[in-house]
Amino acid sequence: MATGGGWAEMPRACRRSRPPSARCTALGAWRLQAGHACSSFGPKCPRCPPSSPHHRTKSGELRSACLTTIESLPCEVLLQIFAYLDASSLLCAGCVSKSFYNVSNDNLIWHRRYYSYIASKSKGWKAKVVDLATEKLSRISVWDSPPGFWKKEYIRKCAGSGRRGVGLLLKPINRYTGLPSRFREAVKALGITWIVVLRERSGKEHVKEQNNACFSDTSATLCWNSAAWPSLSHLKELCVYGVTPLFPQSKTCTLHGPCRRSLLAEYDLTTLEESSMFIGSDRLVKLRCLYPGMLLGCWQEDGELAFIVANLHFHQLIEKSTLGSVTCPYMSPPHEPVPDDIVSEYGLLGYHCHITLHYGKSSYMSGSFHNLFCRKEYIQNGFLQIVVISLEDESQHSTISGIISIPWNTEFFEGKIQHCCLMDVTILEEAEKPFWCVSSPVALQSVSTSGIRYSYMGERQTIDYKDHEGQVHMELTWLEEEQQYYVVNLVLYLSVRKVNAWFATAY
């Protein structure tokens, strides 16, 4: 028997078949514990067979010549793996790559989920022989459906069940506003949140989730704060989206889980100086208003963004936040006018107005006014003039205590900007349906006193708002000694074109 140098005299084939040394085995075990294969990282053991699949990279590191990835697995194996994922994880996996997307759209996986979901929602449901046979036969037709068909059916079923109880929450109507009184509960049940998307000229997007949301009687006030906003000079547009989770009742649903976006409004920022209106400032921040309902807080020092505030009216807000698409907002169905030939002044009588001055939870004024009307001789310049609070009738005047202002805060600073607030106007027609609804930032402007009114010796200020459907004009008198405002005049102007289209009239 040869000893000593026998290893050197052995044939080449025998030398290749000899097991690695103990040192190589220990080194491989350590690499496996560290999460790396022996053939993938680290220097090769000098006692390993020379035919091991190693090659040296440009950086000098020895790596395996053939690495197995999860994407290189056969489709059948991926299907078995994906079958263990829940619906949210399955949708997220489809965003990884094209191959994952094709596998995650498999109809058999989603058909099983669809069938089990229906079974879990049926109270006291138990599988019978007939049901099991029907389910097995239905699998035959699963392959005839286009890819992703049962995924869409599952999502549609889950979304429909999530909205089923919301209709009951929206039924109770506030008799003063004509809007759902349990709006906040409906938003919570659907899991609706709102985001802003800032798009640069280069196409890059910055998505900001809301930091705070306050609900008043007629609107939602949303705030976005950030320590790192993109430069305004690089921005192209600002978009506001309503975000709804695809599976609102799922226990595994997270904030960053599968969801759908619905476009509410978009604003052009390339002409910010011309399209926005300056409404107030303090020592640190100045406010710019983008109509309708958007407020930009910019730093006084460099003019860059400090915070964003949106004021959204409740009227059709749930529909706008859930039924729109990423590129198109929700369009309400056209109103069908009901003509009335009996009353000669149809469309001029029976209006109801609810107006609120507020900022989030701080309410400065909230009033409801009934049985408002307009005479034909008051129709001028394409608008119906409706006097809500008359300047001559002092019994209609109301008071506002304290200074009207907008408090603001960022991650590091806070302040208060006086003589501006948020205004909500809700006009109901005689059938108590919303006719004109608006929520927008407004500013108090000082004006010269045209005449002396001995009842109110103070500074005269006005609040004005205007769009293509209507106008609001409010006059206030500030009494310094009493530290309160007197609302001495409030006039509404409704578009004749809108009235004619709503009531089928021809004023």
Side-chain angles (χ1 to χ4, degrees):
M1 178 180 295
T3 59
W7 169 251
E9 302 296 332
M10 291 177 66
R12 183 179 299 272
C14 297
R15 282 184 284 169
R16 288 182 181 178
S17 61
R18 181 172 178 175
S21 64
R23 179 176 178 270
C24 180
T25 303
L27 184 61
W30 174 83
R31 285 169 179 154
L32 288 176
Q33 293 177 359
H36 304 289
C38 178
S39 61
S40 300
F41 301 94
K44 187 178 69 173
C45 176
R47 299 295 298 273
C48 284
S51 61
S52 298
H54 288 81
H55 68 89
R56 187 176 296 275
T57 61
K58 293 183 180 180
S59 60
E61 184 182 5
L62 291 170
R63 292 184 179 271
S64 174
C66 181
L67 295 177
T68 302
T69 62
I70 189 171
E71 291 187 357
S72 63
L73 294 176
C75 181
E76 293 77 7
V77 178
L78 288 178
L79 285 173
Q80 290 295 327
I81 296 174
F82 280 24
Y84 290 98
L85 300 179
D86 57 16
S88 299
S89 302
L90 200 58
L91 290 175
C92 293
C95 300
V96 174
S97 64
K98 187 175 181 180
S99 60
F100 275 27
Y101 177 78
N102 294 331
V103 176
S104 65
N105 276 356
D106 183 73
N107 279 324
L108 185 58
I109 294 178
W110 287 104
H111 179 263
R112 290 172 178 171
R113 295 197 173 278
Y114 181 86
Y115 188 76
S116 61
Y117 178 81
I118 295 179
S120 64
K121 292 298 179 181
S122 301
K123 295 182 180 179
W125 182 90
K126 292 184 178 180
K128 300 179 180 180
V129 178
V130 177
D131 296 328
L132 293 175
T134 304
E135 196 270 338
K136 290 180 179 179
L137 290 175
S138 64
R139 292 186 183 182
I140 301 176
S141 62
V142 169
W143 304 107
D144 298 334
S145 304
F149 172 80
W150 285 102
K151 179 178 76 172
K152 295 178 182 179
E153 288 295 312
Y154 178 82
I155 294 174
R156 183 182 60 83
K157 196 71 175 180
C158 292
S161 63
R163 297 188 179 97
R164 191 168 300 165
V166 177
L168 299 176
L169 295 175
L170 297 177
K171 279 187 177 181
I173 301 297
N174 189 324
R175 60 186 298 262
Y176 297 104
T177 64
L179 301 171
S181 57
R182 303 185 64 183
F183 184 88
R184 185 172 185 176
E185 289 83 351
V187 170
K188 185 177 180 180
L190 288 174
I192 300 176
T193 57
W194 292 274
I195 63 172
V196 292
V197 176
L198 301 169
R199 292 191 178 92
E200 296 186 1
R201 301 173 191 267
S202 61
K204 183 179 179 181
E205 291 187 352
H206 303 267
V207 180
K208 303 293 182 181
E209 299 175 353
Q210 67 183 44
N211 299 96
N212 189 20
C214 299
F215 295 88
S216 63
D217 292 337
T218 54
S219 67
T221 304
L222 314 174
C223 302
W224 291 271
N225 301 325
S226 177
W229 291 101
S231 177
L232 275 177
S233 59
H234 297 161
L235 295 179
K236 177 184 178 182
E237 60 182 356
L238 182 150
C239 298
V240 183
Y241 289 94
V243 179
T244 310
L246 290 180
F247 314 113
Q249 298 178 348
S250 175
K251 296 181 180 180
T252 59
C253 180
T254 61
L255 182 62
H256 301 284
C259 58
R260 68 184 308 272
R261 295 182 183 181
S262 177
L263 179 64
L264 271 71
E266 53 184 346
Y267 305 88
D268 185 11
L269 299 182
T270 57
T271 58
L272 183 61
E273 295 291 336
E274 294 79 11
S275 60
S276 63
M277 178 180 293
F278 173 79
I279 65 171
S281 65
D282 62 1
R283 185 171 53 90
L284 295 176
V285 172
K286 55 184 177 182
L287 297 180
R288 290 188 175 276
C289 179
L290 292 172
Y291 294 105
M294 184 62 63
L295 196 63
L296 302 183
C298 302
W299 296 111
Q300 290 277 17
E301 183 178 359
D302 54 7
E304 296 296 338
L305 277 175
F307 58 88
I308 297 176
V309 176
N311 196 42
L312 306 178
H313 199 278
F314 282 168
H315 179 53
Q316 294 185 339
L317 181 56
I318 288 185
E319 291 85 350
K320 295 177 182 177
S321 301
T322 57
L323 301 181
S325 65
V326 179
T327 56
C328 298
Y330 166 78
M331 299 298 294
S332 58
H335 171 73
E336 296 182 2
V338 180
D340 190 348
D341 299 331
I342 300 176
V343 182
S344 60
E345 295 183 349
Y346 187 61
L348 303 182
L349 308 174
Y351 288 98
H352 167 68
C353 172
H354 183 84
I355 184 169
T356 304
L357 299 180
H358 69 99
Y359 184 78
K361 297 181 179 180
S362 302
S363 179
Y364 304 112
M365 172 190 172
S366 180
S368 295
F369 306 90
H370 301 268
N371 300 323
L372 304 177
F373 64 93
C374 174
R375 297 176 180 174
K376 289 184 179 181
E377 55 266 25
Y378 290 164
I379 300 177
Q380 296 178 357
N381 301 323
F383 287 93
L384 276 69
Q385 179 180 343
I386 300 177
V387 179
V388 181
I389 298 177
S390 175
L391 183 63
E392 287 74 21
D393 189 356
E394 295 184 3
S395 63
Q396 298 180 354
H397 299 174
S398 60
T399 60
I400 300 175
S401 300
I403 300 176
I404 296 177
S405 61
I406 289 182
W408 62 270
N409 68 287
T410 62
E411 293 186 353
F412 306 105
F413 300 98
E414 62 181 14
K416 185 179 293 185
I417 300 177
Q418 298 183 0
H419 307 303
C420 52
C421 62
L422 303 177
M423 181 178 68
D424 301 337
V425 179
T426 307
I427 307 296
L428 307 179
E429 37 98 328
E430 61 181 1
E432 296 185 353
K433 295 182 179 180
F435 177 78
W436 182 48
C437 302
V438 62
S439 294
S440 177
V442 292
L444 281 74
Q445 302 292 337
S446 298
V447 295
S448 59
T449 305
S450 57
I452 298 176
R453 296 184 59 85
Y454 294 99
S455 299
Y456 309 106
M457 298 294 294
E459 180 185 0
R460 181 186 173 195
Q461 297 180 343
T462 61
I463 294 177
D464 291 286
Y465 173 83
K466 179 180 179 181
D467 61 23
H468 66 282
E469 293 187 349
Q471 302 178 22
V472 180
H473 175 74
M474 181 185 296
E475 294 185 13
L476 307 93
T477 300
W478 169 249
L479 302 182
E480 185 68 30
E481 295 181 356
E482 301 180 12
Q483 289 291 300
Q484 63 182 5
Y485 292 93
Y486 274 85
V487 182
V488 298
N489 192 18
L490 176 58
V491 183
L492 301 176
Y493 298 89
L494 302 180
S495 171
V496 174
R497 181 180 300 177
K498 181 176 177 62
V499 172
N500 290 335
W502 191 276
F503 298 101
T505 54
Y507 294 118

